[in-house]
Amino acid sequence: MSEPTQRPHKDAQTVRDGVQDLLPTIRERAEETERLRVVPESSVKELEEVGFFKLLQPVRFGGLEADPVDFYTCVRDIASACGSTGWVSSVLGVHPWQIALFDDEAQQAVWGEDPDTRVSSSYAPMGKASLTEGGFNLSGRWSFSSGCAHATWVLLGGLVFNDEGQVVDFRTFLVPRDRYEIVDVWNVVGLAGTGSNDIVVEDVFIPETFTLSMAETGRCKGPGQAVNTGDLYKLQFHSLFTTTITTPIIGMARGAYDEHVTMQQNRVRASFGEKASLDPFAAVRVATASSDIDAAWALLMGNIREQQAHVARGEKIPITQRLRIRRDQVLGTQRAIDAIDLLFEASGGRALANGTPLQRAWRDAHAGRVHAANDPERALQMYGASEFGHKVDPGMY
């Protein structure tokens, strides 16, 4: 099979600048996105044209292999304009990183003819796979595949059973569009525009080269590293993917903050007959919310930088670092939501109106909070247990 010869025609800064140029339009479409229950195709196409979806894609397939911080900065900014668009961008945009860990045969199938191919996902092991010659037979129904309308492949989590009915592995399966059905079930109060519908697969054969063992990815390994040798693809799976879930929520908080400040500058409090911006308690709330948002972001990106430094030195990423990433990730989500709650409560009755950005950010952020990656007690318990000297399974991080 011939080696791809695609080369990027953009750099990360050009992509970041392009995303900034798109924000006013994405913001204008936020209400439409919610009404349609899916990100408009025009928004996805525009993000594609500025190169956003190529940020974490291998250079050999026209990608940029960019710094993840550049990727997450773009996601944060998109989510500040529209929570649903930010969420879908984050999820679809991170998948090229994982596809790069698959066997080259799978990479060729996804990007060989069209390097703009997009992939959605649903990682919870809702599917059942049985071992067969050369691969697996997969069946199941998966929920919450955000952005699946804009993808032609899907990554699905499934438990692998042997002939005795025992679970022998937990794998991610890469499935083409003609082998699965999308069931429209997404009618929700928050993140309504993500189109996070169900995926149904009925007894489909998946070659082994189109699968990844979660045990292997948990050790920062994957067959695709043989051809994608950059440090980007040696980072830790769970750290990147949980950051992918928290970053849009921080973006929503930034958007809510900007909206609240603008509202308060123009608002006169009817009860007191004074400008809201002159209320000293309003100033305290703004200071508190901004600190929570900044702290969430700084810790999230600082941890990515520290993980990159370990990889650059050729070191194994310590379990303590992985646990700290999860600690700061779930608390980053909580800090962002606390900030939005504080701002929303202080914004007055006009913030309740349908179509206002602040109430939409409030609903979207709380919807994002229920994602499994944002389960704070589990992540914090694991961190604390490790601090007390108890053994923690590294495969879970």
Side-chain angles (χ1 to χ4, degrees), residues 224-276:
Q225 291 172 338
V227 288
N228 300 315
T229 59
D231 285 354
L232 172 62
Y233 304 111
K234 299 172 186 175
L235 297 174
Q236 208 269 330
F237 173 88
H238 289 90
S239 299
L240 284 184
F241 275 74
T242 54
T243 300
T244 295
I245 297 304
T246 291
T247 295
I249 298 175
I250 295 174
M252 296 169 208
R254 285 174 63 101
Y257 178 86
D258 291 342
E259 177 69 13
H260 173 79
V261 169
T262 299
M263 288 176 65
Q264 296 305 94
Q265 288 172 327
N266 299 319
R267 175 187 171 209
V268 176
R269 300 188 67 184
S271 300
F272 304 101
E274 66 178 13
K275 291 189 69 174

Side-chain angles (χ1 to χ4, degrees), residues 163-285:
D163 292 339
E164 288 72 43
Q166 298 170 320
V167 176
V168 294
D169 202 356
F170 172 16
R171 286 186 172 258
T172 301
F173 297 85
L174 180 60
V175 186
R177 182 64 186 88
D178 61 354
R179 308 310 300 272
Y180 63 88
E181 177 188 1
I182 297 174
V183 183
D184 186 351
V185 296
W186 193 243
N187 296 283
V188 292
V189 298
L191 292 176
T194 61
S196 302
N197 287 307
D198 286 5
I199 303 293
V200 176
V201 173
E202 296 183 1
D203 196 25
V204 171
F205 172 73
I206 309 295
E208 185 172 3
T209 51
F210 284 62
T211 73
L212 279 179
S213 171
M214 293 300 289
E216 189 172 28
T217 54
R219 295 192 297 270
C220 303
K221 301 293 184 182
Q225 291 172 338
V227 288
N228 300 315
T229 59
D231 285 354
L232 172 62
Y233 304 111
K234 299 172 186 175
L235 297 174
Q236 208 269 330
F237 173 88
H238 289 90
S239 299
L240 284 184
F241 275 74
T242 54
T243 300
T244 295
I245 297 304
T246 291
T247 295
I249 298 175
I250 295 174
M252 296 169 208
R254 285 174 63 101
Y257 178 86
D258 291 342
E259 177 69 13
H260 173 79
V261 169
T262 299
M263 288 176 65
Q264 296 305 94
Q265 288 172 327
N266 299 319
R267 175 187 171 209
V268 176
R269 300 188 67 184
S271 300
F272 304 101
E274 66 178 13
K275 291 189 69 174
S277 62
L278 297 176
D279 180 354
F281 300 108
V284 171
R285 286 188 286 265

Side-chain angles (χ1 to χ4, degrees), residues 20 23 26-27 74-83 86 247-248 250-256 258 357 361:
Q20 286 296 314
L23 295 185
I26 291 173
R27 188 174 293 110
C74 289
V75 169
R76 179 199 65 187
D77 294 346
I78 296 166
S80 73
C82 173
T247 295
I250 295 174
M252 296 169 208
R254 285 174 63 101
D258 291 342

